[in-house]
Each structure stands twice: as C-alpha cells, then as structure tokens.
Amino acid sequence: MVKQDRAARTRQSLILAAAEVFAQEGFAPASLAAISRRAGVSNGALHFHFETKKALAQAVEDEAVQTMRRITEVRTNEGDGALQALVDATHVLMSVLADDIVLRAGFELGGDPARGEGSRLRREWQRWIEDTLRRAEAEGGLAEGVSPADASPAIVAVTVGFEVLGGEDKGWLSEETIAGFWALMLPMLASRRQPVPVSPSPAGGARRTVMTSARSTD
C-alpha cells in the first residue's frame, strides 16, 4: 500500500511537471529530462510511469478532460435551467483555466500542431454547449427564431477564443469579461417568457467551486 501511494504521488507529480513544461515550451521543445527534473524524480522513474512524451501528454489531457467534465456535470445537474447552467459553466471553466495549469496545458496540447492530434477538450466543450442549448430549447428557454444550431457556433467560437487569449493575458478569463459577453448575448438568446431571467453573472458564487487537485499555477 505504501508503494502504491508513493507511485500515485510520483505519477501525479510527473503530470503536473509535464503540464508546466508543456504550457511554457510547447509539446515539441519539451524534453522528458526537463520534466523529470521539475518533478524531482529520476528519468528511470519517469519511464516507469510513461514510456514516451506522447503518453505523458495524453495523461495531462486525460486529467484535464476529467476536470472539465466535473465542471459541466455539476452545472447540468443544478436545476437552474439550461441557459443559466451554460452561463455558470462558462464562468467556472474560465476561472479554473486561470488557476489550473493542467487544464490550461490540456487545452494548449490539443491545439499544438506538433502533437498531431485534435483537441478533445474543445470537442467535448462544443458537444456540451450544443447539448445544453438543445435542452434550453426543450425548456422553452430560447428566444423565438433562435435554434441551437444558430447559437452554438458563436458561443463555442467566443469561449474558445477566451481560452486561447487567456493563455497570454488572464484578464480575458475574468468574471467581468465573461459576464460582459453574456450580457450582450443573452438578450438575443434567451426567451423573454422565462419566469426567472438568466443572469450573465454566475448564479451563486459558492456554486462556482469545482473539485480539482491542489496544483501550482506557474
């Protein structure tokens, strides 16, 4: 059991170190030696857990996917309506992106042409937005004449743009920036017949909390 715990901690340290190196240097320039040094483990320990740099990048992306799924699943099940869930999930995702290096690296790895793979995170985010808009339509929450097919490309493009721009300037990920976007979008998107108007700010600050591992940000 002690060995298993130590192995799990070493693996997590390697994922965190890899995320930091990938985020700073990109996939191609990053070296396994630099990752092992940052994690404080030997090259042999790294290769025990991950045979290749590609496998290590996959582990970073896998963990980032799990974080994003926790964010979207919590908001889906909160019961405030689909559009409010979409607003809240956007706020939480951007907030976590600002602080969680593994989530940030997961997005960046997906967009790195040197890795030669598409972004699972962006695809999953797009699918969740599309599903949530269809749920909003079923609830009668969309404005007359607005369909999920009309709305989803704009929301996906803007939110992915925030994610990309936030890699250089965290101001793009701020609550004020995200609320400003939704303040512009919601009057065109949301039905005026909703009994409770959809707020462009997150509904209930306490519920923005998402379970993530404690990680360094820089």
Side-chain angles (χ1 to χ4, degrees):
M1 184 64 70
V2 172
K3 289 183 178 180
Q4 290 176 345
D5 290 345
R6 187 183 303 119
R9 288 195 299 272
T10 298
R11 187 179 191 279
Q12 191 60 44
S13 295
L14 286 165
I15 291 173
L16 174 58
E20 292 171 347
V21 174
F22 289 143
Q24 290 173 2
E25 300 181 10
F27 178 74
S31 70
L32 292 178
I35 292 169
S36 63
R37 282 197 302 272
R38 183 164 298 209
V41 304
S42 67
N43 287 334
L46 185 152
H47 285 287
F48 174 81
H49 290 279
F50 302 102
E51 292 184 0
T52 64
K53 183 167 68 172
K54 185 175 181 180
L56 191 45
Q58 185 66 56
V60 171
E61 191 173 45
D62 287 345
E63 185 161 325
V65 166
Q66 291 304 311
T67 297
M68 191 175 71
R69 286 177 179 171
R70 286 195 293 271
I71 293 169
T72 55
E73 286 171 5
V74 168
R75 272 72 215 167
T76 298
N77 296 325
E78 278 185 336
D80 289 328
L83 283 185
Q84 191 66 61
L86 181 54
V87 172
D88 290 355
T90 305
H91 277 283
V92 177
L93 179 63
M94 299 307 161
S95 177
V96 177
L97 268 169
D99 297 326
D100 189 323
I101 191 66
V102 175
L103 183 62
R104 193 157 72 243
F107 272 104
E108 292 177 5
L109 283 167
D112 191 328
R115 189 164 168 242
E117 298 183 19
S119 174
R120 288 173 56 203
L121 281 157
R122 290 174 185 162
R123 288 195 300 269
E124 290 219 11
W125 177 240
Q126 178 178 346
R127 282 196 295 269
W128 186 79
I129 289 174
E130 292 167 349
D131 289 345
T132 303
L133 287 170
R134 284 191 286 269
R135 188 159 59 91
E137 182 180 46
E139 294 171 354
L142 296 186
E144 186 175 352
V146 174
S147 72
D150 295 329
S152 60
I155 296 171
V156 171
V158 171
T159 53
V160 169
F162 286 146
E163 170 253 312
V164 173
L165 292 166
E168 297 293 329
D169 178 0
K170 289 186 180 181
W172 288 101
L173 306 175
S174 70
E175 183 173 315
E176 292 75 17
T177 299
I178 308 308
F181 161 67
W182 282 116
L184 288 172
M185 175 65 73
L186 285 172
M188 297 177 287
L189 183 65
S191 170
R192 296 179 182 178
R193 297 191 298 271
Q194 295 192 73
V196 179
V198 181
S199 171
S201 297
R207 289 183 297 160
R208 293 183 57 203
T209 303
V210 63
M211 290 187 302
T212 56
S213 299
R215 300 186 183 117
S216 171
T217 59
D218 296 307

